[in-house]
Amino acid sequence: MSLTVLTTAILASIARLVYTIFLRGIAKGLLANIPLVFLAIAWVFKAVALSYTIH
């Protein structure tokens, strides 16, 4: 996946996270959005890999 696609997915997930927290509360909202953590980790790895290919 490209960094742009991952960034867009993370931003959409953050919007969903805020909406879910507003409706259900913090604990249920965070548990319902666990894939956001994996998207963030993938974004970091992709950014690091991209920075190594640029240098």
Side-chain angles (χ1 to χ4, degrees), residues 16-37:
R16 181 177 165 222
L17 173 69
V18 170
Y19 178 73
T20 308
I21 286 175
F22 181 73
L23 287 180
R24 296 185 182 176
I26 292 175
K28 287 184 181 178
L30 291 176
L31 287 175
N33 291 291
I34 289 177
L36 176 60
V37 174

Side-chain angles (χ1 to χ4, degrees), residues 26-55:
I26 292 175
K28 287 184 181 178
L30 291 176
L31 287 175
N33 291 291
I34 289 177
L36 176 60
V37 174
F38 295 110
L39 280 174
I41 292 170
W43 188 89
V44 168
F45 280 123
K46 185 70 174 184
V48 168
L50 186 62
S51 71
Y52 278 117
T53 58
I54 291 174
H55 290 122

